Amino acid sequence: MVKLMWKSVDKMRCFRKRSMLPFLGFLITFLLFFNLYMDDGYVLEAEKRQLGETLMHPANSDRYVHTFRDLSNFSGTINVTYRYLAGIPLPRKKYLTIGLSSVKRKKGNYLLETIKSIFDQSSYEELKEIVVVVHLADFDLVWCENLVQEITRKFAHHIIAGRLLVIHTPEEYYPSLDGLKRNYNDPEDRVRFRSKQNVDYAFLLNFCTNLSHFYMMLEDDVRCSRNFLTALKKVITSREGSYWVMLEFSKLGYIGKLYHSRDLPRLAHFLLMFYQEMPCDWLLIHFRGLLAQKDVIRFKPSLFQHMGYYSSYKGAENKLKDDDFEEDSIDIPDNPPASLYTNINVFENYDATKAYSSIMDEYFWGKPPCTGDFFVIIFNHSTKISRIKIVTGTEDRQTDILHHGALEVGQKSVETKQGRQCTSYITLGEFKGGSIEVNSVDHKIGFDIECVRIVITASQKEWLIIRTISLWTTQPVSQFVK
């Protein structure tokens, strides 16, 4: 009799569970679609925290998502089934996907801080255009589930808004990690670590292919500069019409590397093909070379900083820092389109345009200038300028600075035999120690600027390097965040 009673109770419990599942499914679907139209502006924080837990799928809820495409004609299709651990993709493509791959570390864990930095350093308008995908790539499922619970508890709001996804690739999809090539005299465990990391990234890239127009790779121990998305948009806009495979916004590891999302399938396939050959940051150099980008295109300042102290490999110390990192990326210059001229003798291919470029390690280099020599920037359209900063010389050639010079701005440009030139100029200041910076330019002059000119006021025996010419327009930042 007691057994019959327990069976009846169990049946009632099961019935209640079964009857709740369709309701919960309907509720989650409704809220996700509601979020697409309301953009999560009217959802209370408490409700988001509660709903975030309903979006955390159990580890055994496998869903087929993407497959590799045979883009290179030398292998068949590779099918991968991903597990959604938190969140689900929204149907609308975003501007940028940020990918993170993370494994259990022997010491320290920086993933939560990295995710927090991404969201905290973005404005509300910027958050609408990004999605963060975290690939928990450790085979320890208990560790994965515990970390997912922490992520869900801290970032429920972003999970509900479709800005944060957490995925996992089951171990059975990985190629063999035993008996690998011992390249570069690396110990066996090091070879295994870096080979698995290549596969981790390949699966992450494959998943992210159709989520956005651009893809940014970060590591899981990174701090972001403020409004980094706006800075990225400025750079991408400035590169329109030019060919590129990878743009770099940090000089360290696999941090701050930007791709077109259309290239992700090929890059994923490439990492899988050569997963045991070399580390991922070496492979990506070969990848961009194969796609005909010969040179590094790295921008300054760096938008991302390595903050981890302990490496994910054996917990070894890793104190690397990017000394080109700046916390406030919103303050980066936005040099307007222009033509550049100089009558200073140019050395080799260090031409005038290199000083106006935002690419790292490009600069103008000329032979010793004489009194009256000039370096002029003529804008395509008259422009309001708020700030001008010019730096000469480099760290390894500190004497190749402009010792005596003036900064001028001009208007009323006309066509001459020597090209377009301005007919009148106003002096803003003199160079000191090889550099000059003038703020509130638009308040100091009464016209829109058509020309910016550097004039040599005394001859010098040293050569001249103009390292950077940085201009800030008064155009509103909102134009870059669409």
Side-chain angles (χ1 to χ4, degrees):
M1 187 67 178
V2 174
K3 288 182 178 180
L4 288 173
M5 288 176 65
W6 276 113
K7 284 182 179 179
S8 299
V9 172
D10 285 341
K11 285 181 179 179
M12 290 177 68
R13 271 204 308 264
C14 291
F15 175 77
R16 284 200 300 270
K17 287 180 181 178
R18 285 196 297 269
S19 63
M20 284 296 290
L21 287 175
F23 173 75
L24 286 174
F26 171 80
L27 179 62
I28 292 170
T29 304
F30 171 79
L31 287 169
L32 281 170
F33 279 98
F34 180 76
N35 176 71
L36 287 176
Y37 293 99
M38 301 303 290
D39 200 35
D40 78 289
Y42 301 99
V43 184
L44 297 177
E45 291 297 324
E47 293 174 330
K48 288 177 180 175
R49 284 196 298 271
Q50 184 178 11
L51 286 168
E53 295 181 2
T54 68
L55 284 177
M56 192 179 106
H57 303 289
N60 61 356
S61 61
D62 294 350
R63 297 187 182 190
Y64 180 79
V65 184
H66 298 291
T67 60
F68 280 100
R69 299 173 187 174
D70 181 17
L71 296 175
S72 46
N73 295 322
F74 43 67
S75 72
T77 301
I78 303 172
N79 296 329
V80 182
T81 301
Y82 296 92
R83 290 171 175 162
Y84 283 86
L85 302 183
I88 58 175
L90 299 180
R92 184 177 71 89
K93 264 192 176 185
K94 297 294 186 78
Y95 185 83
L96 179 71
T97 299
I98 300 170
L100 308 170
S101 183
S102 188
V103 295
K104 182 169 59 176
R105 295 171 183 256
K106 291 184 180 295
K107 295 181 181 180
N109 190 309
Y110 310 98
L111 177 61
L112 296 176
E113 293 177 62
T114 300
I115 298 172
K116 185 176 187 298
S117 180
I118 292 170
F119 292 136
D120 286 355
Q121 297 291 67
S122 302
S123 68
Y124 178 73
E125 291 298 316
E126 289 170 328
L127 287 174
K128 294 178 183 179
E129 293 299 325
I130 65 174
V131 56
V132 179
V133 179
V134 178
H135 182 207
L136 296 186
D138 205 280
F139 297 150
D140 184 343
L141 298 183
V142 174
W143 175 84
C144 292
E145 291 172 5
N146 289 338
L147 188 53
V148 168
Q149 289 177 8
E150 285 191 68
I151 293 171
T152 305
R153 184 169 61 252
K154 290 180 179 293
F155 304 106
H157 169 78
H158 298 294
I159 293 173
I160 294 298
R163 288 191 287 265
L164 177 60
L165 308 174
V166 185
I167 62 170
H168 176 76
T169 309
E171 185 176 0
E172 56 263 30
Y173 289 97
Y174 279 72
S176 174
L177 298 173
D178 296 318
L180 302 173
K181 292 182 181 179
R182 294 280 299 278
N183 293 347
Y184 313 110
N185 203 32
D186 279 349
E188 186 175 345
D189 59 345
R190 173 67 184 174
V191 173
R192 178 185 173 90
F193 171 83
R194 61 173 170 80
S195 298
K196 179 183 177 298
Q197 189 175 57
N198 285 331
V199 183
D200 295 341
Y201 282 131
F203 289 148
L204 173 59
L205 294 164
N206 181 62
F207 178 87
C208 295
T209 297
N210 295 311
L211 299 181
S212 62
H213 300 290
F214 298 96
Y215 176 86
M216 171 68 70
M217 178 61 76
L218 294 184
E219 294 180 3
D220 64 348
D221 54 355
V222 169
R223 188 170 85 252
C224 307
S225 62
R226 187 167 61 92
N227 299 109
F228 63 87
L229 178 62
T230 296
L232 286 175
K233 282 196 166 188
K234 287 181 180 181
V235 169
I236 291 170
T237 300
S238 73
R239 302 292 298 183
E240 284 182 0
S242 65
Y243 178 77
W244 59 271
V245 177
M246 181 177 71
L247 304 181
E248 302 187 27
F249 296 88
S250 172
K251 63 183 179 183
L252 301 178
Y254 214 169
I255 297 172
K257 307 302 186 273
L258 182 75
Y259 301 91
H260 296 280
S261 292
R262 63 175 179 263
D263 287 332
L264 296 186
R266 281 189 288 187
L267 178 54
H269 201 87
F270 184 78
L271 290 175
L272 265 187
M273 285 184 60
F274 302 105
Y275 77 102
Q276 61 177 311
E277 300 296 334
M278 61 186 69
C280 56
D281 46 344
W282 295 6
L283 282 174
L284 67 88
I285 296 172
H286 290 285
F287 178 76
R288 67 165 169 77
L290 288 169
L291 292 187
Q293 181 188 319
K294 179 183 176 182
D295 299 318
V296 173
I297 306 176
R298 181 161 68 87
F299 293 87
K300 50 190 176 185
S302 296
L303 303 180
F304 307 97
Q305 179 65 283
H306 179 260
M307 67 176 176
Y309 185 77
Y310 296 107
S311 169
S312 53
Y313 173 62
K314 282 188 168 183
E317 292 183 3
N318 184 356
K319 301 178 182 179
L320 287 176
K321 296 294 179 185
D322 190 335
D323 51 14
D324 295 317
F325 173 75
E326 288 187 13
E327 193 74 38
D328 289 330
S329 66
I330 193 66
D331 198 34
I332 69 170
D334 54 335
N335 294 1
S339 301
L340 289 89
Y341 305 97
T342 184
N343 64 344
I344 302 170
N345 289 327
V346 178
F347 174 63
E348 293 185 348
N349 64 340
Y350 294 89
D351 59 78
T353 60
K354 300 290 178 65
Y356 202 59
S357 169
S358 58
I359 299 176
M360 188 65 69
D361 299 329
E362 286 194 346
Y363 50 82
F364 166 80
W365 198 1
K367 296 178 180 180
C370 301
T371 303
D373 284 352
F374 63 85
F375 186 107
V376 64
I377 305 161
I378 303 177
F379 301 136
N380 294 355
H381 306 284
S382 58
T383 308
K384 290 186 181 296
I385 301 293
S386 61
R387 180 182 167 199
I388 301 175
K389 181 179 180 181
I390 300 174
V391 179
T392 66
T394 61
E395 290 183 4
D396 57 340
R397 293 188 176 272
Q398 298 182 15
T399 59
D400 288 1
I401 63 172
L402 180 54
H403 295 276
H404 303 282
L407 175 65
E408 302 176 338
V409 293
Q411 62 174 332
K412 298 178 182 178
S413 64
V414 295
E415 291 293 339
T416 69
K417 291 182 179 180
Q418 289 76 34
R420 196 156 56 94
Q421 296 181 6
C422 284
T423 58
S424 63
Y425 283 91
I426 291 177
T427 300
L428 290 181
E430 303 284 333
F431 279 76
K432 295 181 180 179
S435 64
I436 187 171
E437 182 170 3
V438 183
N439 295 303
S440 303
V441 176
D442 50 333
H443 298 304
K444 294 176 180 178
I445 61 173
F447 55 85
D448 289 354
I449 296 171
E450 295 184 59
C451 305
V452 173
R453 185 167 70 175
I454 301 169
V455 178
I456 313 303
T457 55
S459 300
Q460 63 184 59
K461 61 181 180 180
E462 296 85 5
W463 288 34
L464 173 62
I465 290 176
I466 303 179
R467 185 167 63 185
T468 56
I469 298 174
S470 302
L471 307 177
W472 287 260
T473 68
T474 57
Q475 297 164 332
V477 170
S478 59
Q479 74 167 348
F480 298 107
V481 186
K482 298 179 181 178

